[in-house]
Amino acid sequence: MAIVKMSKFTLFTFQANKGELLKKLQIYQNIHFKNLSTTDMPEYLKKDFSNEQFNFYTEGIAKLTFIIQKLKPLKPKEKGFAALTTPKPSFSYDEFEKFSTTYDYQSLYEKLKSTDEGIRELKQKISRLETDNVSYQNWHALDVSTKQLSSLKYSSYLLGNVNKANFNSFKEALEKNYQNFYLEHLGDSKDDSHVLIIFEKGITDEFSNFLRDNGFSKASIEFPGLPESLVKGNNSEIAKLKNDVASLESGNKEFVSELDNTLIIMDYYESMLERVKISGRFLKTNEILILEGWLPQDEVKNLEGILNEACRGEYFIELEEVEYESTEVPIKLKNNKLVQAFESITAMFNMPKYNEIDPTPLLTPFYILFFGVMVGDIGYGLVLVIATFLAIKFLALNEGTKNFMRFLLYCGFGTIFAGILFGGAFGVTVFAPIQYTNPTTNELGYKAILDSNWDIVTMMVLSVAIGFIHIIFGLLVKGYMNIRDGKILSAIFDSGFFITTLFSAVGLLLGTMGVLPAGVGIASKWVLIASLIGLLVTQGRDCVTMVGKIAQGAYSVYGLTSYVGDFVSYTRLVALSLSGAYVAISFNQMIGLLPPGIIKIILGAVIFLLSQTLNIGLAVLGAYVHSCRLQYVEFFGKFYEGGGVPFRPFSFNNKYINLKE
Amino acid sequence: MVDFFMQYGGIIIGGFGAALSVFLPGIGSSRGCGLVGKTATGLLTEEPEKFGQALILQLLPGTQGLYGFLIAFLIINNLTPTINLAQGFFLLFAALPVAFAGYRSALYQGEVAAAGLQILAKKPEENTKGIILAAIVETYAILGLVGSLILLVVAYPNIARM
């Protein structure tokens, strides 16, 4: 339970051993390599990175991605449950490597590529024909081919466009200046009118100038036949081409069975690329390879075993303890199963630094409590517990998802616990053990331990009290860290004074309100004054000048007001809990309003299912997010900085396969 | 007219409070969710598999509407024909914190959540950070809810007894 102790190593071996060594270390998955830099190093040390290999594997990956893209949509989808429960195929490393290096994906790629190109060509043809059709449509009224028009003896013709809005004025101008011409309006597109003009052969130049000046532009279009028949011909051609495309596409179906194999090779290539990339972190001379990195302390023996095997004894290793203050050491957390499920919460904020402590075990009980209170319903808790339990038991999930399911499972138990306190299941009160008298009607009745009608004030006070404990706990953790590092005074100044301030302030408040005896109030007052003076005097101790010391001390006393905000923030516990509960209750009341009978049963069941599903989703999302916030802002703010580098061991890509030992 | 108002004013004003606390945060939430939804379509045309995570971001500004609904529910429980004008006004004022804090915070939260889609687009594994950022805005809607709750549950019973 805590941050795993690390050892740092520097390893020298011959280049010849590199392949075998990296292979073994990649299977081992316990080494985080340091990225060695060549600056300030002698010139004979060079980066060990092979562009050639890098290109080889990235190109392979690009081809595999292409195959997967083409084949995946063709594969029939597995039916829901089967798809979720089928585990990934298992391989030993040797099987994996042999399979991946002997499988001929290149020829599969070539085949798919050529069909793909064929399809693209056909599609281009189709789109060309379709554009032609569109332009033919614009001239649909033309009832003569251009061939016939050019064979006229005494006349010339022009096809062209006039702006739609100007068509009439164009026509008038023409009629005014010429007699011997024929003008036909053939059709319209968005802006233009399309026209045919036939005129005397002799006046061509002058006439076309006149037309141009009046806004006519010649269209360079030919009609080997009538537009209508041309469109018809194109359409039948398009249908034929589309058929060809479909048959090419369905031809790919015979390769679908290869998809699973391709995915396995994808894993192999990604892993090999990882191996090439990690080499970029090493240094080399002509003969020697230098590697530096970290591994968990208790793994050192195993590493030496691997080195003896992989390098046949030809290596030199230097091991050192990692300095406590080191900031570059990677951080690995190790916790029991329960706490492990909550590591993602810590990781989302920031990994701890090597000299801090792992906050996960500290936040876990509070997180479960917060989450439980915010959802606070026996029914919802049971749904969470059962659903996640079944998912863990029966579905083939990857490690991350499984962990998240476990996280929800534990939070589900918290929800059931809080639900028992609030007495509700799906918005219906099911557990009401406390006798009480209704203040307005004076009737005797039963209510839940913390009733959402009668105990809202108590619940608010309790929320703030939980917050008080949470914050004091955070301050205690900070004190512990200081004492552990031998800074007793810092522990007293930075934790002790704050804790006494908070306790005495609460004591004073409760004393004056009469909740606690007056003597406690008076004693608290003096403790409070002493604590404030203590803070004023000590909080500026890092400043150099006297003025700085005083100002800093005063500022930190002023900063105490932020604690008020912190406490108020915890009222979100009761607020979210009540809003979830009342939404459930009011949906149930809506069902109660339905007229009795068979409709009520059917419609009621549907409304119940939908509304409760919606509410459980919203409640869980809200609880997840706001529990995080209370940890990050209110709790971590008291003691935790974070900023450590997460431990990322050199390992395999196993998205699609399982690697056996 | 004055008599009418004295007699029924309490329930009318109180009812207005209940209505306010439903429709103001309701408008805010629908606009917030709408903004995120609109932004999400761009991302989803490229990467439809991120629908689930985008949906979570879209849901975040939706809670304000629920908070307002909760307060309306509590106000309606107190709306009896016998309440006087002062009580009615008090119920209206009790609705204001959740109504206004909910209305504005849903809009702002929607903006943060919509920006959070950028994180989802570029670094989907860090998506939760976007969710947390948006949730910080919600604090003030929650405080509005708590304020309304205190007015209704702590203070109102004393007023009602007067």
Side-chain angles (χ1 to χ4, degrees), chain A residues 585-611:
Chain A
I585 290 172
S586 51
F587 273 120
N588 290 346
Q589 286 190 349
M590 263 170 58
I591 297 170
L593 293 176
L594 293 172
I598 185 78
I599 294 177
K600 180 170 187 166
I601 296 171
I602 297 171
L603 200 60
V606 172
I607 296 179
F608 182 80
L609 267 181
L610 289 178
S611 62

PDB file of all heavy atoms in Angstrom, chain A residues 585-611:
ATOM      1  N   ILE A 585     -39.207  10.290  -6.695  1.00  0.00           N
ATOM      2  CA  ILE A 585     -40.526  10.350  -6.051  1.00  0.00           C
ATOM      3  C   ILE A 585     -41.557  10.974  -6.988  1.00  0.00           C
ATOM      4  O   ILE A 585     -42.671  10.461  -7.144  1.00  0.00           O
ATOM      5  CB  ILE A 585     -40.433  11.166  -4.743  1.00  0.00           C
ATOM      6  CG1 ILE A 585     -39.640  10.380  -3.696  1.00  0.00           C
ATOM      7  CG2 ILE A 585     -41.835  11.487  -4.213  1.00  0.00           C
ATOM      8  CD1 ILE A 585     -39.332  11.173  -2.444  1.00  0.00           C
ATOM      9  N   SER A 586     -41.160  12.074  -7.666  1.00  0.00           N
ATOM     10  CA  SER A 586     -42.177  12.744  -8.464  1.00  0.00           C
ATOM     11  C   SER A 586     -42.552  11.930  -9.697  1.00  0.00           C
ATOM     12  O   SER A 586     -43.704  11.951 -10.123  1.00  0.00           O
ATOM     13  CB  SER A 586     -41.730  14.153  -8.841  1.00  0.00           C
ATOM     14  OG  SER A 586     -40.455  14.106  -9.390  1.00  0.00           O
ATOM     15  N   PHE A 587     -41.611  11.179 -10.265  1.00  0.00           N
ATOM     16  CA  PHE A 587     -41.995  10.280 -11.360  1.00  0.00           C
ATOM     17  C   PHE A 587     -42.970   9.221 -10.854  1.00  0.00           C
ATOM     18  O   PHE A 587     -43.954   8.894 -11.530  1.00  0.00           O
ATOM     19  CB  PHE A 587     -40.757   9.623 -11.973  1.00  0.00           C
ATOM     20  CG  PHE A 587     -40.120  10.445 -13.051  1.00  0.00           C
ATOM     21  CD1 PHE A 587     -38.811  10.889 -12.946  1.00  0.00           C
ATOM     22  CD2 PHE A 587     -40.851  10.787 -14.184  1.00  0.00           C
ATOM     23  CE1 PHE A 587     -38.236  11.658 -13.940  1.00  0.00           C
ATOM     24  CE2 PHE A 587     -40.278  11.556 -15.188  1.00  0.00           C
ATOM     25  CZ  PHE A 587     -38.973  11.994 -15.055  1.00  0.00           C
ATOM     26  N   ASN A 588     -42.691   8.705  -9.663  1.00  0.00           N
ATOM     27  CA  ASN A 588     -43.607   7.703  -9.115  1.00  0.00           C
ATOM     28  C   ASN A 588     -44.997   8.296  -8.903  1.00  0.00           C
ATOM     29  O   ASN A 588     -46.007   7.620  -9.121  1.00  0.00           O
ATOM     30  CB  ASN A 588     -43.058   7.154  -7.798  1.00  0.00           C
ATOM     31  CG  ASN A 588     -41.823   6.297  -8.041  1.00  0.00           C
ATOM     32  OD1 ASN A 588     -41.557   5.915  -9.181  1.00  0.00           O
ATOM     33  ND2 ASN A 588     -41.081   6.009  -6.985  1.00  0.00           N
ATOM     34  N   GLN A 589     -45.042   9.573  -8.463  1.00  0.00           N
ATOM     35  CA  GLN A 589     -46.348  10.203  -8.267  1.00  0.00           C
ATOM     36  C   GLN A 589     -47.082  10.359  -9.591  1.00  0.00           C
ATOM     37  O   GLN A 589     -48.306  10.207  -9.654  1.00  0.00           O
ATOM     38  CB  GLN A 589     -46.174  11.577  -7.619  1.00  0.00           C
ATOM     39  CG  GLN A 589     -45.817  11.463  -6.148  1.00  0.00           C
ATOM     40  CD  GLN A 589     -45.882  12.788  -5.436  1.00  0.00           C
ATOM     41  OE1 GLN A 589     -45.990  13.834  -6.072  1.00  0.00           O
ATOM     42  NE2 GLN A 589     -45.827  12.748  -4.116  1.00  0.00           N
ATOM     43  N   MET A 590     -46.307  10.653 -10.656  1.00  0.00           N
ATOM     44  CA  MET A 590     -46.931  10.754 -11.983  1.00  0.00           C
ATOM     45  C   MET A 590     -47.604   9.449 -12.356  1.00  0.00           C
ATOM     46  O   MET A 590     -48.731   9.426 -12.879  1.00  0.00           O
ATOM     47  CB  MET A 590     -45.867  11.070 -13.029  1.00  0.00           C
ATOM     48  CG  MET A 590     -45.746  12.530 -13.383  1.00  0.00           C
ATOM     49  SD  MET A 590     -44.286  12.813 -14.397  1.00  0.00           S
ATOM     50  CE  MET A 590     -44.588  11.735 -15.773  1.00  0.00           C
ATOM     51  N   ILE A 591     -46.930   8.334 -12.073  1.00  0.00           N
ATOM     52  CA  ILE A 591     -47.525   7.032 -12.379  1.00  0.00           C
ATOM     53  C   ILE A 591     -48.809   6.857 -11.562  1.00  0.00           C
ATOM     54  O   ILE A 591     -49.821   6.342 -12.062  1.00  0.00           O
ATOM     55  CB  ILE A 591     -46.523   5.898 -12.070  1.00  0.00           C
ATOM     56  CG1 ILE A 591     -45.302   6.043 -12.983  1.00  0.00           C
ATOM     57  CG2 ILE A 591     -47.164   4.533 -12.255  1.00  0.00           C
ATOM     58  CD1 ILE A 591     -44.152   5.153 -12.623  1.00  0.00           C
ATOM     59  N   GLY A 592     -48.781   7.355 -10.325  1.00  0.00           N
ATOM     60  CA  GLY A 592     -49.962   7.259  -9.469  1.00  0.00           C
ATOM     61  C   GLY A 592     -51.158   8.015 -10.030  1.00  0.00           C
ATOM     62  O   GLY A 592     -52.316   7.675  -9.727  1.00  0.00           O
ATOM     63  N   LEU A 593     -50.904   9.022 -10.868  1.00  0.00           N
ATOM     64  CA  LEU A 593     -52.010   9.830 -11.409  1.00  0.00           C
ATOM     65  C   LEU A 593     -52.738   9.135 -12.557  1.00  0.00           C
ATOM     66  O   LEU A 593     -53.818   9.553 -12.952  1.00  0.00           O
ATOM     67  CB  LEU A 593     -51.470  11.180 -11.912  1.00  0.00           C
ATOM     68  CG  LEU A 593     -50.927  12.119 -10.834  1.00  0.00           C
ATOM     69  CD1 LEU A 593     -50.347  13.370 -11.460  1.00  0.00           C
ATOM     70  CD2 LEU A 593     -52.027  12.486  -9.846  1.00  0.00           C
ATOM     71  N   LEU A 594     -52.123   8.072 -13.128  1.00  0.00           N
ATOM     72  CA  LEU A 594     -52.761   7.392 -14.254  1.00  0.00           C
ATOM     73  C   LEU A 594     -54.072   6.758 -13.794  1.00  0.00           C
ATOM     74  O   LEU A 594     -54.187   6.313 -12.655  1.00  0.00           O
ATOM     75  CB  LEU A 594     -51.839   6.296 -14.805  1.00  0.00           C
ATOM     76  CG  LEU A 594     -50.549   6.767 -15.480  1.00  0.00           C
ATOM     77  CD1 LEU A 594     -49.667   5.573 -15.778  1.00  0.00           C
ATOM     78  CD2 LEU A 594     -50.881   7.513 -16.749  1.00  0.00           C
ATOM     79  N   PRO A 595     -55.097   6.709 -14.686  1.00  0.00           N
ATOM     80  CA  PRO A 595     -56.354   6.051 -14.295  1.00  0.00           C
ATOM     81  C   PRO A 595     -56.109   4.561 -14.080  1.00  0.00           C
ATOM     82  O   PRO A 595     -55.355   3.956 -14.835  1.00  0.00           O
ATOM     83  CB  PRO A 595     -57.257   6.298 -15.505  1.00  0.00           C
ATOM     84  CG  PRO A 595     -56.326   6.572 -16.635  1.00  0.00           C
ATOM     85  CD  PRO A 595     -55.133   7.233 -16.045  1.00  0.00           C
ATOM     86  N   PRO A 596     -56.703   3.994 -13.054  1.00  0.00           N
ATOM     87  CA  PRO A 596     -56.431   2.593 -12.731  1.00  0.00           C
ATOM     88  C   PRO A 596     -56.904   1.654 -13.838  1.00  0.00           C
ATOM     89  O   PRO A 596     -57.801   1.997 -14.609  1.00  0.00           O
ATOM     90  CB  PRO A 596     -57.203   2.362 -11.429  1.00  0.00           C
ATOM     91  CG  PRO A 596     -58.187   3.471 -11.352  1.00  0.00           C
ATOM     92  CD  PRO A 596     -57.669   4.614 -12.130  1.00  0.00           C
ATOM     93  N   GLY A 597     -56.309   0.482 -13.890  1.00  0.00           N
ATOM     94  CA  GLY A 597     -56.680  -0.496 -14.900  1.00  0.00           C
ATOM     95  C   GLY A 597     -55.449  -1.045 -15.580  1.00  0.00           C
ATOM     96  O   GLY A 597     -54.319  -0.795 -15.166  1.00  0.00           O
ATOM     97  N   ILE A 598     -55.678  -1.750 -16.680  1.00  0.00           N
ATOM     98  CA  ILE A 598     -54.586  -2.428 -17.360  1.00  0.00           C
ATOM     99  C   ILE A 598     -53.602  -1.416 -17.934  1.00  0.00           C
ATOM    100  O   ILE A 598     -52.390  -1.627 -17.953  1.00  0.00           O
ATOM    101  CB  ILE A 598     -55.150  -3.359 -18.467  1.00  0.00           C
ATOM    102  CG1 ILE A 598     -54.027  -4.191 -19.115  1.00  0.00           C
ATOM    103  CG2 ILE A 598     -55.892  -2.572 -19.533  1.00  0.00           C
ATOM    104  CD1 ILE A 598     -53.614  -5.353 -18.262  1.00  0.00           C
ATOM    105  N   ILE A 599     -54.151  -0.255 -18.387  1.00  0.00           N
ATOM    106  CA  ILE A 599     -53.286   0.786 -18.954  1.00  0.00           C
ATOM    107  C   ILE A 599     -52.291   1.273 -17.918  1.00  0.00           C
ATOM    108  O   ILE A 599     -51.117   1.486 -18.188  1.00  0.00           O
ATOM    109  CB  ILE A 599     -54.147   1.959 -19.463  1.00  0.00           C
ATOM    110  CG1 ILE A 599     -54.984   1.466 -20.640  1.00  0.00           C
ATOM    111  CG2 ILE A 599     -53.276   3.139 -19.888  1.00  0.00           C
ATOM    112  CD1 ILE A 599     -55.920   2.505 -21.187  1.00  0.00           C
ATOM    113  N   LYS A 600     -52.783   1.433 -16.696  1.00  0.00           N
ATOM    114  CA  LYS A 600     -51.915   1.910 -15.626  1.00  0.00           C
ATOM    115  C   LYS A 600     -50.758   0.939 -15.409  1.00  0.00           C
ATOM    116  O   LYS A 600     -49.619   1.364 -15.220  1.00  0.00           O
ATOM    117  CB  LYS A 600     -52.721   2.059 -14.339  1.00  0.00           C
ATOM    118  CG  LYS A 600     -51.878   2.544 -13.177  1.00  0.00           C
ATOM    119  CD  LYS A 600     -52.730   2.912 -12.007  1.00  0.00           C
ATOM    120  CE  LYS A 600     -51.878   3.553 -10.935  1.00  0.00           C
ATOM    121  NZ  LYS A 600     -52.678   4.216  -9.922  1.00  0.00           N
ATOM    122  N   ILE A 601     -51.061  -0.349 -15.466  1.00  0.00           N
ATOM    123  CA  ILE A 601     -50.015  -1.333 -15.215  1.00  0.00           C
ATOM    124  C   ILE A 601     -48.964  -1.291 -16.320  1.00  0.00           C
ATOM    125  O   ILE A 601     -47.761  -1.198 -16.062  1.00  0.00           O
ATOM    126  CB  ILE A 601     -50.628  -2.751 -15.104  1.00  0.00           C
ATOM    127  CG1 ILE A 601     -51.565  -2.797 -13.891  1.00  0.00           C
ATOM    128  CG2 ILE A 601     -49.527  -3.795 -14.962  1.00  0.00           C
ATOM    129  CD1 ILE A 601     -52.379  -4.051 -13.799  1.00  0.00           C
ATOM    130  N   ILE A 602     -49.431  -1.291 -17.579  1.00  0.00           N
ATOM    131  CA  ILE A 602     -48.468  -1.336 -18.691  1.00  0.00           C
ATOM    132  C   ILE A 602     -47.713  -0.020 -18.816  1.00  0.00           C
ATOM    133  O   ILE A 602     -46.482   0.025 -18.758  1.00  0.00           O
ATOM    134  CB  ILE A 602     -49.193  -1.651 -20.026  1.00  0.00           C
ATOM    135  CG1 ILE A 602     -49.821  -3.040 -19.936  1.00  0.00           C
ATOM    136  CG2 ILE A 602     -48.219  -1.579 -21.189  1.00  0.00           C
ATOM    137  CD1 ILE A 602     -50.725  -3.375 -21.085  1.00  0.00           C
ATOM    138  N   LEU A 603     -48.474   1.073 -18.964  1.00  0.00           N
ATOM    139  CA  LEU A 603     -47.855   2.383 -19.136  1.00  0.00           C
ATOM    140  C   LEU A 603     -47.009   2.733 -17.913  1.00  0.00           C
ATOM    141  O   LEU A 603     -45.903   3.270 -18.027  1.00  0.00           O
ATOM    142  CB  LEU A 603     -48.937   3.438 -19.366  1.00  0.00           C
ATOM    143  CG  LEU A 603     -48.471   4.728 -20.021  1.00  0.00           C
ATOM    144  CD1 LEU A 603     -47.888   4.428 -21.387  1.00  0.00           C
ATOM    145  CD2 LEU A 603     -49.627   5.712 -20.139  1.00  0.00           C
ATOM    146  N   GLY A 604     -47.543   2.394 -16.725  1.00  0.00           N
ATOM    147  CA  GLY A 604     -46.816   2.666 -15.487  1.00  0.00           C
ATOM    148  C   GLY A 604     -45.473   1.961 -15.474  1.00  0.00           C
ATOM    149  O   GLY A 604     -44.451   2.550 -15.106  1.00  0.00           O
ATOM    150  N   ALA A 605     -45.480   0.702 -15.917  1.00  0.00           N
ATOM    151  CA  ALA A 605     -44.219  -0.054 -15.911  1.00  0.00           C
ATOM    152  C   ALA A 605     -43.216   0.589 -16.866  1.00  0.00           C
ATOM    153  O   ALA A 605     -42.030   0.719 -16.547  1.00  0.00           O
ATOM    154  CB  ALA A 605     -44.478  -1.504 -16.301  1.00  0.00           C
ATOM    155  N   VAL A 606     -43.711   1.018 -18.038  1.00  0.00           N
ATOM    156  CA  VAL A 606     -42.809   1.635 -19.021  1.00  0.00           C
ATOM    157  C   VAL A 606     -42.228   2.939 -18.467  1.00  0.00           C
ATOM    158  O   VAL A 606     -41.013   3.165 -18.503  1.00  0.00           O
ATOM    159  CB  VAL A 606     -43.563   1.902 -20.354  1.00  0.00           C
ATOM    160  CG1 VAL A 606     -42.683   2.707 -21.295  1.00  0.00           C
ATOM    161  CG2 VAL A 606     -43.976   0.593 -20.982  1.00  0.00           C
ATOM    162  N   ILE A 607     -43.118   3.791 -17.911  1.00  0.00           N
ATOM    163  CA  ILE A 607     -42.646   5.062 -17.346  1.00  0.00           C
ATOM    164  C   ILE A 607     -41.658   4.802 -16.220  1.00  0.00           C
ATOM    165  O   ILE A 607     -40.612   5.447 -16.117  1.00  0.00           O
ATOM    166  CB  ILE A 607     -43.827   5.899 -16.830  1.00  0.00           C
ATOM    167  CG1 ILE A 607     -44.741   6.290 -17.992  1.00  0.00           C
ATOM    168  CG2 ILE A 607     -43.327   7.172 -16.143  1.00  0.00           C
ATOM    169  CD1 ILE A 607     -45.946   7.086 -17.560  1.00  0.00           C
ATOM    170  N   PHE A 608     -41.987   3.827 -15.377  1.00  0.00           N
ATOM    171  CA  PHE A 608     -41.113   3.511 -14.252  1.00  0.00           C
ATOM    172  C   PHE A 608     -39.720   3.133 -14.751  1.00  0.00           C
ATOM    173  O   PHE A 608     -38.713   3.681 -14.307  1.00  0.00           O
ATOM    174  CB  PHE A 608     -41.714   2.365 -13.435  1.00  0.00           C
ATOM    175  CG  PHE A 608     -40.908   1.990 -12.229  1.00  0.00           C
ATOM    176  CD1 PHE A 608     -40.994   2.740 -11.063  1.00  0.00           C
ATOM    177  CD2 PHE A 608     -40.049   0.899 -12.256  1.00  0.00           C
ATOM    178  CE1 PHE A 608     -40.242   2.403  -9.955  1.00  0.00           C
ATOM    179  CE2 PHE A 608     -39.291   0.563 -11.147  1.00  0.00           C
ATOM    180  CZ  PHE A 608     -39.398   1.313  -9.997  1.00  0.00           C
ATOM    181  N   LEU A 609     -39.670   2.210 -15.709  1.00  0.00           N
ATOM    182  CA  LEU A 609     -38.371   1.753 -16.211  1.00  0.00           C
ATOM    183  C   LEU A 609     -37.571   2.909 -16.801  1.00  0.00           C
ATOM    184  O   LEU A 609     -36.398   3.108 -16.472  1.00  0.00           O
ATOM    185  CB  LEU A 609     -38.585   0.688 -17.293  1.00  0.00           C
ATOM    186  CG  LEU A 609     -38.576  -0.756 -16.809  1.00  0.00           C
ATOM    187  CD1 LEU A 609     -38.769  -1.703 -17.979  1.00  0.00           C
ATOM    188  CD2 LEU A 609     -37.261  -1.059 -16.102  1.00  0.00           C
ATOM    189  N   LEU A 610     -38.228   3.681 -17.685  1.00  0.00           N
ATOM    190  CA  LEU A 610     -37.509   4.770 -18.353  1.00  0.00           C
ATOM    191  C   LEU A 610     -37.040   5.818 -17.355  1.00  0.00           C
ATOM    192  O   LEU A 610     -35.878   6.225 -17.351  1.00  0.00           O
ATOM    193  CB  LEU A 610     -38.408   5.428 -19.407  1.00  0.00           C
ATOM    194  CG  LEU A 610     -38.680   4.596 -20.656  1.00  0.00           C
ATOM    195  CD1 LEU A 610     -39.626   5.337 -21.583  1.00  0.00           C
ATOM    196  CD2 LEU A 610     -37.377   4.281 -21.373  1.00  0.00           C
ATOM    197  N   SER A 611     -37.949   6.249 -16.486  1.00  0.00           N
ATOM    198  CA  SER A 611     -37.601   7.351 -15.584  1.00  0.00           C
ATOM    199  C   SER A 611     -36.529   6.922 -14.592  1.00  0.00           C
ATOM    200  O   SER A 611     -35.612   7.675 -14.293  1.00  0.00           O
ATOM    201  CB  SER A 611     -38.846   7.843 -14.860  1.00  0.00           C
ATOM    202  OG  SER A 611     -39.390   6.812 -14.072  1.00  0.00           O
TER     203      SER A 611
END
